[in-house]
Amino acid sequence: MPYQAPVREYQFIFDQIVPLAPVVANECFSEATQDLTDAVLNECGKMCEEVMAPLQRPGDMHPAKLENGVVRTSPGFADGYAAIAEGGWVGISALPTHGGMGLPLALNTAMHDMMCGACISLNLCPLLSQGQIEALEHHATEELQNLYLPKLISGEWTGTMNLTEPQAGSDVGALTSKAELQADGTYKISGQKIFITWGEHDVAENICHLVLARLPDGKSGPKGISLFLVPKFIPNADGSLGVRNDLRCVSLEHKLGIHGSPTAVMEFSGATGWLVGQEHNGMACMFTMMNNARLAVGMQGVGVAEGAYQHALAYAMDRKQGRAMIADGTGAIIDHADVRRMLAQMKSEIFAARAIGVACAVAIDMTKATGDADWRARAALLTPITKSFGSDTGVAVADLGVQIHGGMGFVEETAAAQYLRDVRITPIYEGTNGIQAMDLVARKMMDGGAAAFALMDEMVTLASASSSKLAVAVLASIVELRSTTEWLLTQELNDRFAGAVAYQKAFARVLGGYFHLVAAMSGKGKRVRMATIYINSLLPEYMALCAQARSGAGDLYALELDDFAA
């Protein structure tokens, strides 16, 4: 079965689960009427199905290659990227001032979901450009904005994010890249960066790198880091390309998956760069793009999960094997109870993760539209949950997709394994899911749990409007989540960290149950049936997860180093 973009699913979510109407009611998003939203979803879906999905397998089988200092991308990727750029998709949420559409991030979120279901390797290119656009909109000088943003928004140029170094992974403050101020106000940037997604390629004429580096007077650690814009070709004042800058791709990583996405090791050898934001404030500038990138990575997981599910469903409806214990079945393996269990789990998990992601995007949109502190807190709270649950769902669903294929899933010819290989990076991208969990129980609880409790109160209000067994189960889960949150707030930080991943998963489980309940309350039969599967079979995991979240760090640190020996 060819990939089908989940357009109708998003129309349902925007209408009844996480309404887009409150976002559109604000002046800055007033153009995002239902007619426009439907048109955007349909056009994006069409491009994903017709242009991007056919590139999924070629990108895996014919990876990007570095040849004589030039990166050659996978067959068809240049044309695929051109379609993305020409369709205006890079600038869907960028400010109209420099050519963007100015549409809500919620629509951008739907776009990334659909693009990743079609071809995650190609989607990564515009995703990084969008992050750079956002950072420049917030922090760059007017001169830099006027020169770079129109080209980035149009897709003529692409953007990257350069954080990681060989000795500095998640501990970005340990970087050693250097920046030196020049007489003309530019800076010379020197150092090596690794894991740079789409750091070098042949699909656009210029590549603009956002690079973290330290000035000579910069303090050690993250507070002494500055952010610089370092283009591959230094543009002239009119936007035309000038001389080649002193940077190069020295190698491409050989990866488990996303083979069509060139992941570069970049060497900067006194390359010319321009300061973005204030000196020594680079991490704050970079986080402007990283926070929304975390939402996008969560939706990458959801998108790949959708692709894996559709692939597995098609196989299950076609594969004849064994005899199911039901009358008048299809004769295919979808008749078997265990296969049906796996498919139902996949579909219900995707809906839960997708709804959580949209809720996060809407909170970010409402923050932008209103400046309201409560919306800001809601967005901050949902960001780590969205990133972790979306990416974990991608891995779990893709893994089940392989299982449904049986032995055929373990061979590359069926392409089931590609989804699992591709999506496995998402729990690592943009801060590992363990780091997300630590952020949730620490920084996001600095308000005494106010944002978390406010969200729980809203959930209780809606769930209490129903007397169904599903609502009773959801209410019980919220009560336990609240109790666990209250317990966490009384603990030392390391005891919180020990149970942080479990707490994060419990929160997502409860949110998923809540959104499924909302869907069931719409009265649509298929929504009720899928909500019943999730709430009866998957939601009960919250009890074990909450117990694990309360376990503390004592048992972990009672272990001696010899206990870990092989």
Side-chain angles (χ1 to χ4, degrees), residues 367-379:
T367 301
K368 178 178 180 179
T370 67
D372 183 80
D374 290 339
W375 278 117
R376 190 179 306 279
R378 174 70 55 85

Side-chain angles (χ1 to χ4, degrees), residues 47-296:
M47 184 197 64
C48 290
E49 293 168 359
E50 297 179 359
V51 177
M52 295 184 68
L55 301 175
Q56 168 83 344
R57 287 301 284 158
D60 188 59
M61 299 173 71
H62 305 284
K65 295 181 179 180
L66 178 62
E67 299 175 342
N68 299 319
V70 178
V71 171
R72 308 295 183 189
T73 51
S74 302
F77 270 43
D79 290 339
Y81 176 76
I84 294 171
E86 291 167 6
W89 300 109
V90 180
I92 183 173
S93 293
L95 295 174
T97 310
H98 295 100
M101 295 186 192
L103 294 176
L105 185 63
L107 282 175
N108 197 355
T109 296
M111 180 197 76
H112 282 304
D113 180 343
M114 291 190 278
M115 283 188 176
C116 289
C119 183
I120 183 176
S121 289
L122 182 54
N123 166 265
L124 282 162
C125 185
L127 186 152
L128 267 295
S129 292
Q130 287 186 345
Q132 185 170 120
I133 289 167
E134 184 180 18
L136 295 180
E137 285 178 340
H138 282 83
H139 302 291
T141 63
E142 184 177 353
E143 182 181 6
L144 285 179
Q145 290 178 356
N146 291 337
L147 182 57
Y148 284 86
L149 285 176
K151 297 288 189 178
L152 288 165
I153 289 170
S154 70
E156 295 172 73
W157 299 351
T158 65
T160 73
M161 180 167 59
N162 289 246
L163 288 79
T164 309
E165 298 181 4
Q167 80 293 339
S170 297
D171 183 11
V172 179
L175 65 78
T176 59
S177 292
K178 299 178 181 179
E180 296 179 322
L181 178 63
Q182 304 299 298
D184 62 357
T186 64
Y187 295 79
K188 292 297 183 184
I189 312 299
S190 300
Q192 187 179 93
K193 299 289 185 176
I194 63 172
F195 303 150
I196 309 307
T197 301
W198 283 85
E200 177 62 35
H201 58 75
D202 58 0
V203 307
E205 64 180 18
N206 202 8
I207 305 170
C208 308
H209 301 279
L210 279 181
V211 184
L212 287 177
R214 197 183 311 278
L215 290 163
D217 61 342
K219 299 178 181 178
S220 61
K223 293 184 179 180
I225 297 173
S226 302
L227 182 64
F228 302 90
L229 180 58
V230 188
K232 176 180 177 180
F233 291 97
I234 299 174
N236 298 312
D238 62 358
S240 61
L241 297 185
V243 300
R244 181 76 151 80
N245 212 345
D246 293 324
L247 58 90
R248 70 187 192 281
C249 171
V250 297
S251 67
L252 292 180
E253 306 290 357
H254 299 281
K255 309 186 298 287
L256 177 68
I258 55 169
H259 294 155
S261 171
T263 304
V265 176
M266 298 298 301
E267 186 76 34
F268 298 88
S269 305
T272 300
W274 285 261
L275 181 69
V276 175
Q278 300 298 314
E279 291 185 352
H280 316 309
N281 196 39
M283 286 300 294
C285 298
M286 187 64 86
F287 268 104
T288 298
M289 62 185 292
M290 284 184 66
N291 283 330
N292 286 3
R294 287 170 175 168
L295 164 61

Side-chain angles (χ1 to χ4, degrees), residues 350-381:
I350 291 169
F351 175 82
R354 183 172 280 143
I356 291 170
V358 173
C360 182
V362 165
I364 294 172
D365 284 329
M366 291 300 290
T367 301
K368 178 178 180 179
T370 67
D372 183 80
D374 290 339
W375 278 117
R376 190 179 306 279
R378 174 70 55 85
L381 176 74

